Amino acid sequence: MRLVFLGAPGTGKGTMASVMAKQLQIPHISTGDLFRLHLANKTELGTLAESYMKDGKLVPDDVTVGMVRERLKEDDAQKGFIFDGFPRTIEQGKALDAMLQEMNLSLDAVVDLVVPEEELFRRITTRRVCKDCGQIYNTETLKPKVEGVCDTCGGELIQRADDNAETLRKRLDVYTEQTAPLIDFYEEKKLLLSFDNHNKMGSGVDEILDLVEKHRQA
Ligand code: ADP
Ligand code: ZN
């Protein structure tokens, strides 16, 4: 299975991709997580990425594409993958096409998660993440068993630096200008599946897999 999750920040891409990837036993490749990992490890790439991320801007395409190219070469990605947060520009979409073509592979589907904008603000400002394993929580809808502590690894739950109302507004503008054009891009390639992810945090995985299966057979 080779899937891409599209969708604005806060639509639930990360949660959905993570649950689905575990279920299918394929890697969940989140470019945001990869950048945050670099940042935590204080690599050169991490420092560069941070200068964009803190303002809600996109990391330059060549940097992002280079990182994804390396990730796709790893063994675990050979049996499939779920991309979350990549591609985010038409340029990245074209680069992904080229990479897959080189590997003689193609995407099964691109899933666009749709949530009303006012809901995005609520979700993002109540979102918490595990600082060690990246698992996503929510102070209203997806509470850990012990407040502030990750159920999976015991790590501390923190709020991402860019999960505030001001940066989110910028990320939404960036999404509309640079990422939303990918909806048409993938529609034209007959890969686009749209999924209403309102009030469905974490429970839509099987519904989406059904949609993908129907799409593959069509
Ligand atoms: P969200 O989808 O909630 O905005 P992500 O974790 O996917 O969060 O991304 C956080 C930040 O990481 C983005 O605002 C951007 O700065 C950077 N980033 C992530 N993926 C990409 C990408 N494909 N291209 C450029 N920048 C990216
Ligand atoms: Zn954890």
Side-chain angles (χ1 to χ4, degrees), residues 138-156:
N138 187 287
T139 58
E140 292 173 359
T141 55
L142 209 65
K143 296 182 188 173
K145 293 195 186 83
V146 179
E147 197 187 318
V149 180
C150 177
D151 291 345
T152 311
C153 80
E156 185 193 348

Side-chain angles (χ1 to χ4, degrees), residues 129-135 137 149-157:
V129 292
C130 172
K131 103 184 187 324
D132 295 329
C133 77
Q135 190 164 330
Y137 295 86
V149 180
C150 177
D151 291 345
T152 311
C153 80
E156 185 193 348
L157 302 188

Side-chain angles (χ1 to χ4, degrees), residues 7-11 13-14 30-36 49-61 64-65 67-68 84-89 92 124 127 160 162-163 167-168 171-172 174:
T11 48
K13 300 186 298 291
S30 156
T31 42
D33 284 352
L34 290 175
F35 286 134
R36 280 184 290 275
E50 186 188 24
S51 63
Y52 295 93
M53 291 168 85
K54 69 171 168 34
D55 294 330
K57 293 181 189 150
L58 294 185
V59 178
D61 285 335
T64 306
V65 167
M67 182 177 72
V68 168
D84 152 22
F86 180 89
R88 234 175 171 96
T89 63
Q92 292 179 15
I124 291 276
R127 173 159 75 181
R160 266 171 49 184
D162 58 350
D163 276 355
T167 311
L168 175 60
R171 281 153 67 202
L172 286 175
V174 166

Side-chain angles (χ1 to χ4, degrees), residues 111-124:
V111 183
D112 183 32
L113 296 182
V114 184
V115 169
E117 191 168 312
E118 62 276 15
E119 170 76 7
L120 299 179
F121 275 85
R122 212 179 53 78
R123 284 190 186 186
I124 291 276

